[in-house]
Amino acid sequence: MKLSFALAVLALLPSPALADGFTISSYTASALATSPEVRSAEDAFNAADAALKGQASAMVLPTLGFSYTQYPYGHDPLASYRYEQGRFAPRLGQAVTTANWNLFNSFEDLQKTRAAAMARRAARAAWNAARQDRAFAAISAFYTLDAKTELLGVAQQNLRDQKKQYEQSLDLYKNGMKSLADLLKSETDWRSSELRIISAEAERKKALVEFNALIDRGALAEAALILNLTAGATDMPLVEADFVRALELRPEVVQAREDLDKARVAVQQAVLGVLPSLKADATWTRTRYAAGAGTASPNPNHQVGLSLSLPVGFNGFTQGWAVSSARAQQRRAEAARRSAERTVKSEVYNAYINLERVSSSYTVALLKEEIAARSLELVGRQYQQGAADAIRMNQAQNDYLNARVERALALHDIFIDRARYKRAVGDPLW
């Protein structure tokens, strides 16, 4: 709860980072502070926490009871059934104060408290899972928007280059150094670049809408991003050790284990429901009798009582089927736990493979971009001299364009896949 309050304060207070733009940390904090999924999971945890405290209090603390009874009309049982006609006064009634402390009830309260504690831990795991999910969504949206912005810049640069080539082709055509086919090919490539711009702008707008939706901003409100896209060296993690750690950290696995423990407690409670119930209670009672209605009984009085009884509504069959139902739920919870562990294993190894792939791809993409730039420069000189046609020039431009796109996507994917791997392992992203 303290963390969510801090995130909310961070989202509301002005800061240098938010004044100039969004950093990845400030954006993630804002996304968590405004997320209805995180808020709902936090409220569920608070409810489970309050339920545990209430059940623990009921288990260990005595209870007090107060009652007041008076009969202003009719035959008054408190005054030997004397007939009353509208008399009402505090001294004519009976006030009873009772203190009761349950000393033992066949471990029923203990089992309820254990179940409440497990429900609280499961709720905390669900809260952590919600924060992980929303934090990863924020990281992905942040880097995706930056990637789409860079790709739009690449498309704009390509449009300028294609227009420049067309103008060059037109000049060469007028001077008899290029054919009409080369001129038309250059103009076609120019128009293709214009279509590419339209697509890139639409993709960036979609990314901007997703970015703003996570922090409750206007759908198309512009956002300045502050980030350092230096990939650096990516040391590949030790996936075997991280998988073992993920089984302890992943909120989904933690929640599944708590649900299994809770199902086991439910089986124990169902078994107790078949057995006779032994209860021990300490009671203290003081009664203020109505005026004139004295009694010879001790006042106050106290006692320790023992009771042994069958469950309410006992018939054997009902309780037997309750045990069978609880055991089936336990088997279901056990299967859910195994399924969660399998899912975690797949996610950890798939995230590792993706991170390995994108790290290698980025290294190759850098080399490819450098080679494509040199090739475009060479073909461009040949085109000016009439030694290369428009098709070859277009191929060189497309190769350079694709290389720049692949390099930009690979670079941003490194940051996204690093976060995906941390999420798969269970390391907090917020």
Side-chain angles (χ1 to χ4, degrees):
M1 186 173 180
K2 293 180 179 179
L3 177 59
S4 62
F5 177 75
L7 293 177
V9 171
L10 180 60
L12 295 175
L13 292 180
S15 65
L18 292 179
D20 300 329
F22 290 96
T23 64
I24 184 63
S25 58
S26 67
Y27 176 69
T28 302
S30 297
L32 290 177
T34 58
S35 169
E37 296 87 354
V38 173
R39 177 59 58 83
S40 176
E42 181 184 4
D43 289 339
F45 168 76
N46 290 335
D49 181 63
L52 172 60
K53 293 175 181 176
Q55 177 56 42
S57 300
M59 180 178 67
V60 300
L61 297 179
T63 59
L64 290 175
F66 303 94
S67 66
Y68 176 81
T69 306
Q70 183 172 345
Y71 302 90
Y73 293 94
H75 298 91
D76 186 356
L78 302 178
S80 301
Y81 291 92
R82 182 179 60 213
Y83 190 81
E84 300 288 356
Q85 297 184 3
R87 295 180 63 196
F88 184 87
R91 62 184 181 82
L92 298 178
Q94 178 175 288
V96 180
T97 301
T98 304
N100 182 272
W101 190 12
N102 178 254
L103 303 177
F104 182 75
N105 62 354
S106 297
F107 303 107
E108 291 180 8
D109 281 342
L110 178 61
Q111 296 289 29
K112 290 179 181 179
T113 303
R114 288 180 60 198
M118 294 167 189
R120 180 182 182 274
R121 290 195 293 268
R124 178 182 287 278
W127 183 19
N128 288 337
R131 286 186 287 186
Q132 283 285 76
D133 179 72
R134 291 298 86 197
F136 178 74
I139 292 171
S140 180
F142 184 89
Y143 286 112
T144 297
L145 175 59
D146 188 71
K148 297 302 181 182
T149 301
E150 183 172 349
L151 293 182
L152 177 59
V154 170
Q156 291 170 340
Q157 180 62 47
N158 179 257
L159 177 61
R160 290 191 291 268
D161 292 342
Q162 293 289 1
K163 183 178 180 181
K164 181 179 179 181
Q165 182 192 341
Y166 170 75
E167 293 171 349
Q168 187 180 61
S169 298
L170 180 61
D171 182 66
L172 293 173
Y173 171 74
K174 289 180 179 179
N175 289 284
M177 297 179 64
K178 291 293 178 183
S179 66
L180 179 60
D182 283 338
L183 178 62
L184 294 177
K185 174 60 177 173
S186 297
E187 186 173 4
T188 300
D189 295 337
W190 177 22
R191 301 308 175 189
S192 296
S193 295
E194 291 180 330
L195 292 175
R196 191 177 293 112
I197 283 286
I198 295 173
S199 178
E201 289 176 342
E203 290 299 318
R204 185 186 180 277
K205 287 180 179 179
K206 291 179 182 179
L208 185 61
V209 169
E210 179 65 21
F211 178 93
N212 288 328
L214 292 178
I215 55 174
D216 292 339
R217 296 177 78 224
L220 294 176
E222 282 299 330
L225 306 184
I226 303 172
L227 69 168
N228 178 14
L229 281 180
T230 302
T234 300
D235 296 328
M236 296 307 297
L238 302 176
V239 65
E240 290 289 347
D242 285 343
F243 168 63
V244 175
R245 193 158 56 91
L247 293 180
E248 299 298 326
L249 295 179
R250 279 289 294 269
E252 297 86 346
V253 178
V254 174
Q255 184 176 4
R257 288 174 178 168
E258 295 299 337
D259 289 341
L260 175 58
D261 289 341
K262 187 177 178 181
R264 288 170 177 162
V265 171
V267 172
Q268 296 172 3
Q269 289 175 318
V271 171
L272 288 176
V274 179
L275 304 175
S277 175
L278 174 63
K279 293 185 178 181
D281 291 277
T283 306
W284 179 92
T285 304
R286 183 183 184 281
T287 305
R288 196 209 71 178
Y289 294 98
T295 178
S297 60
N299 188 30
N301 62 80
H302 56 273
Q303 60 275 143
V304 174
L306 297 176
S307 64
L308 181 66
S309 61
L310 286 174
V312 176
F314 181 83
N315 58 27
F317 293 97
T318 300
Q319 288 72 24
W321 287 118
V323 173
S324 297
S325 175
R327 287 174 175 168
Q329 290 296 332
Q330 179 182 343
R331 292 192 295 270
R332 179 174 176 270
E334 174 66 26
R337 181 190 63 83
R338 293 198 303 269
S339 176
E341 291 178 351
R342 286 184 176 183
T343 299
V344 166
K345 185 175 184 178
S346 295
E347 290 181 357
V348 169
Y349 279 89
N350 285 333
Y352 175 83
I353 293 169
N354 286 336
L355 182 58
E356 186 179 43
R357 173 189 59 80
V358 74
S359 298
S360 300
S361 298
Y362 178 66
T363 302
V364 175
L366 282 175
L367 294 175
K368 182 178 178 180
E369 182 180 12
E370 180 182 352
I371 294 170
R374 292 171 57 190
S375 176
L376 178 60
E377 181 182 0
L378 177 62
V379 174
R381 288 198 300 265
Q382 293 175 348
Y383 186 80
Q384 292 176 356
Q385 298 167 1
D389 58 13
I391 295 178
R392 186 179 173 190
M393 183 65 183
N394 174 254
Q395 184 62 51
Q397 288 177 328
N398 284 337
D399 288 344
Y400 182 57
L401 173 65
N402 292 334
R404 292 186 66 188
V405 169
E406 290 171 354
R407 190 268 309 159
L409 290 177
L411 177 59
H412 289 83
D413 283 346
I414 285 177
F415 291 90
I416 294 175
D417 284 336
R418 283 175 181 170
R420 180 178 285 110
Y421 184 79
K422 289 184 63 178
R423 179 193 183 196
V425 172
D427 293 331
L429 295 174
W430 61 89

